[in-house]
């Protein structure tokens, strides 16, 4: 275990010094600051105001930028180390592949998750200081959803990193996955639905298999438990599962998906030539 | 100590190692030579357990380095041809090697000092920001402090000035007893005083394997 923590700790230390981490932290921290400066907490849209409104906006932007940040910064972790011969030297010490791989994942998870949560905590503390009501239910739901979203994309990123030969290819694949899950899959599913080729339930199920989509729906569900803003799609979801079960699924499923991809990545890492 | 049997390694259609057989025993210092692409690096990476062979096997003290890598690597010190751009600072790198391989940090400092490398004032500097020579000296110091039975150097003196090379060979001479010392080199004259066996590779095969007598310093 000491080697696992050692790898995680050193990866964390290394990441904290990088420029991408500074930019990453500034983006999320800056976003919260900008919301306060812009007076988002005083505005009211669709009945949401105060900190709830701010957190809703934060989560809507986070869903777009968090996955791409995680993919781009993580996808090169193993492939980059392999590319520039760091792996060749670091793995000449008696560290098991399991400790190295999972240690890197733990270290990287802390790096990507903490700034996102920290920005939310700053918002809550500052909001409380200004006398706003703190929507704890939303805060805890988002903490869980962000944990799940980070897990799923971290797992996908490590999976890609385990089999690509160069950093450039890894970046290309990462970008494609991000844009595919963010937009292309929805466009494809909408066109299928319009052609009436498949059962709507199947199309909605495929759509919710996308971790970004399930995150988006779960984020709305706390403000709008009936999911009325989603129109008829809400019937398919809430007829199948209760709102509580849907929220649990939206946190549990991406975590399992991330672990599955991470595990597949580990198997590839273990079976392939290391350098 | 190291037994290589019928080892073949291919990369797509390119055969990098073609049925290599050889054995390295205690108290042998070997110069592994050959043109670029002869298979030298592939051979040492196979010993380190980095490559899955297409056929044949490598055994280090009877253990397979892929299946039981931590057991095998406890006993191997390795210095690559070019120091990798590790982003850890020196203090962190020393922590990594000392925790993972139970190396005494003081011993690393001792050998660094012997190599005329000032560690104290550079502890918080990132490894990749050091000069080429400083990086190589640190990796050599770590390899010696590890006190392994098998030491593998891939062109270790490429970045060293003549004085540092002398320091390196002096330290190596003091530490070579009861060990296997494997040098990948293009310059036999530099290591001729240290080695007692010379292997020449070409196109993935061992084409000559001769015992040679050591010349004294």
């Amino acid at each position: 275990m000491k080697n696992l923590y050692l790898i995680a700790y050193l990866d964390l230390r290394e990441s904290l010094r990088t420029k991408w981490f500074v930019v990453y932290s500034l983006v999320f921290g800056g976003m919260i600051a900008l919301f306060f400066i812009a007076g988002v907490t005083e505005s009211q849209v669709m009945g949401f105001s105060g900190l709830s409104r701010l957190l809703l906006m934060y989560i809507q932007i986070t869903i777009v930028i968090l996955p791409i940040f995680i993919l781009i910064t993580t996808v090169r972790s193993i492939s980059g180390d392999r590319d520039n011969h760091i792996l060749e030297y670091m793995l000449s010490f008696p560290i098991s592949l399991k400790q190295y791989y999972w240690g890197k994942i733990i270290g990287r998870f802390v790096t990507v998750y903490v700034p996102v949560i920290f920005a939310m905590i700053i918002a809550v503390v500052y909001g409380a200081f200004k006398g706003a009501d703190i929507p704890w239910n939303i805060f805890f739901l988002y903490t869980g959803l962000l944990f799940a979203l980070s897990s799923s994309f971290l797992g996908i990123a490590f999976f890609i990193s385990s089999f690509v030969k160069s950093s450039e290819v890894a970046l290309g694949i990462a970008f494609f996955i991000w844009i595919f899950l963010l937009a292309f899959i929805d466009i494809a599913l909408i066109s299928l639905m319009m052609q009436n080729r498949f059962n709507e339930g199947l199309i909605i199920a495929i759509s919710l298999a996308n971790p970004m989509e399930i995150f988006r729906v779960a984020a709305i569900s706390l403000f709008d438990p009936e999911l009325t803003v989603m129109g008829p799609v809400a019937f398919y979801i809430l007829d199948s599962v209760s709102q509580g079960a849907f929220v649990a699924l939206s946190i549990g499923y991406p975590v399992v998906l991330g672990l599955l991809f991470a595990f597949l990545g580990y198997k590839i890492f273990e079976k392939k030539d290391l350098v | 100590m190291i037994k290589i049997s019928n080892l073949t390694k291919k990369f797509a259609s390119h055969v990098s190692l073609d049925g290599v057989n050889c054995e390295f025993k205690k108290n042998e210092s070997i110069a592994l030579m050959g043109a670029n692409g002869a298979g030298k690096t592939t051979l040492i990476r196979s010993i380190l357990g980095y490559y899955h062979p297409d056929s044949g096997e490598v055994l280090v003290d009877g253990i397979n380095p892929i299946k039981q890598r931590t057991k095998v690597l406890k006993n191997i010190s390795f210095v690559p041809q070019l120091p990798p751009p590790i982003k850890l600072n020196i203090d962190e790198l020393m922590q990594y090697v000392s925790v993972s391989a139970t190396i005494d940090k003081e011993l690393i400092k001792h050998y660094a000092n012997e190599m005329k490398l000032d560690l104290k004032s550079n502890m918080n500097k990132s490894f990749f920001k050091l000069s080429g020579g400083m990086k190589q000296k640190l990796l050599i110091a770590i390899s010696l402090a590890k006190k392994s039975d098998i030491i593998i150097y891939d062109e270790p003196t490429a970045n060293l000035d003549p004085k540092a090379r002398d320091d390196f060979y002096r330290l190596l001479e003091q530490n070579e007893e009861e060990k296997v010392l494997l040098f990948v080199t293009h310059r036999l004259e530099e290591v001729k005083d240290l080695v007692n066996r010379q292997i020449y590779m070409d196109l993935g095969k061992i084409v000559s394997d001769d015992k040679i007598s050591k010349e004294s310093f």
Side-chain angles (χ1 to χ4, degrees), chain A residues 186-200 203:
Chain A
D186 283 356
I187 295 166
L189 290 173
I190 289 166
S191 67
L192 279 177
M193 202 175 236
M194 286 168 76
Q195 290 169 3
N196 283 323
R197 279 197 194 166
F198 297 99
N199 174 282
E200 288 86 349
I203 291 175

Side-chain angles (χ1 to χ4, degrees), chain B residues 28-86:
Chain B
E28 280 189 329
S29 296
I30 306 112
L32 185 59
M33 305 181 70
N36 294 332
K40 309 179 295 289
T41 302
T42 309
L43 185 66
I44 58 170
R45 285 178 175 174
S46 299
I47 294 170
L48 291 162
Y50 293 162
Y51 289 143
H52 293 263
D54 291 276
S55 64
E57 68 171 353
V58 176
L59 292 175
V60 180
D61 288 329
I63 305 169
N64 185 314
I66 296 172
K67 289 177 184 155
Q68 288 177 279
R69 54 174 278 114
T70 51
K71 236 179 189 179
V72 168
L73 293 174
K74 265 180 195 160
N75 250 334
I76 299 182
S77 290
F78 169 65
V79 175
Q81 185 177 7
L82 291 171
I86 298 166

